[in-house]
Amino acid sequence: MAELFGKQARRYADGRPSYPPQLFQFIASKTPSRDLAWDVGTGSGQAARSLAEIYKNVVATDVSPEQLELAQRLPNIRYELTSPVVSRAELQQKVAAESTVDLVTIAMALHWFDRPNFYRQAKRLLKKPDGVIAAWGYTMPRVTGPVDSIYEEFYSMDSNPYWSPTHRVVIDEYRDMDFPFEPVEGMEDTGPVRFVAERAMGLDEFLTFVRSTSPYLKAKEEGVELLGRDVVERYRRAWNEEGGEAEKVVKFPVFLRIGKVGNASSTD
């Protein structure tokens, strides 16, 4: 999927929503210090930019050079291209020394990872015992009833065979995903905690979002167009119902799993 997203880097950067400030404020409230954050699978840096407003330094990594080229450069963000399988040496060279990271974040990407290996890496780098790991994503966007009914056909794994099996993990809000970390202060478990991201979109922008999703990209690679003229026309008619505003507020339900490393061994 990294290769597919890389091929459509501009569309991904333009089509995806930003995350709500409340999400980052909540996460930051759980980290005792705010010196260094590591944003993994940063893409074009949507989360890294918000983290840079709170943390002194941010290291943002991705395996796609095309995505990283589109990331906004800020003085306290260091972007690094990493290998698909990151060695311990590369981790320390490109990210940070062991036990020096306050926060590890993964935005809409953890379901693609080799999680056991990644968790070992995160545990090595996080400060003990209070370093925090936060992983989030979002489920089906909501626009209006008529638009939602069309998108539901696309979103359903039953009617759209181009979704990866990992999509089920997203639909379930990472609830059943392995997440071997301790609850942060003030929480009895590791979530999910819910937020809402909002973005004003015209129809063309919304369709750009649809074209940035993994099943659309996978279908396109196989020569199948999921947004043919008939489907676009259905969207157009639905978009013009209920007031017909050129722009509508699209709401993305965001879910968060969050935990702290505790005294876990870096070799766990």
Side-chain angles (χ1 to χ4, degrees), residues 30-42:
K30 305 302 181 183
T31 58
S33 56
R34 301 178 183 180
D35 295 323
L36 179 59
W38 174 27
D39 186 43
V40 193
T42 195

Side-chain angles (χ1 to χ4, degrees), residues 1-14 16 41-46 49 61-73 79 81 212 217:
M1 287 315 304
E3 183 178 352
L4 283 180
F5 285 133
K7 290 179 179 178
Q8 299 293 330
R10 171 55 66 184
R11 183 176 289 167
Y12 189 96
D14 292 343
R16 294 305 177 106
T42 195
S44 51
Q46 288 95 331
R49 293 193 298 270
T61 61
D62 204 280
V63 299
S64 168
E66 296 88 354
Q67 292 261 27
L68 290 175
E69 285 177 7
L70 298 175
Q72 180 183 359
R73 266 48 187 177
Y79 291 101
L81 179 68
S212 77
L217 298 176

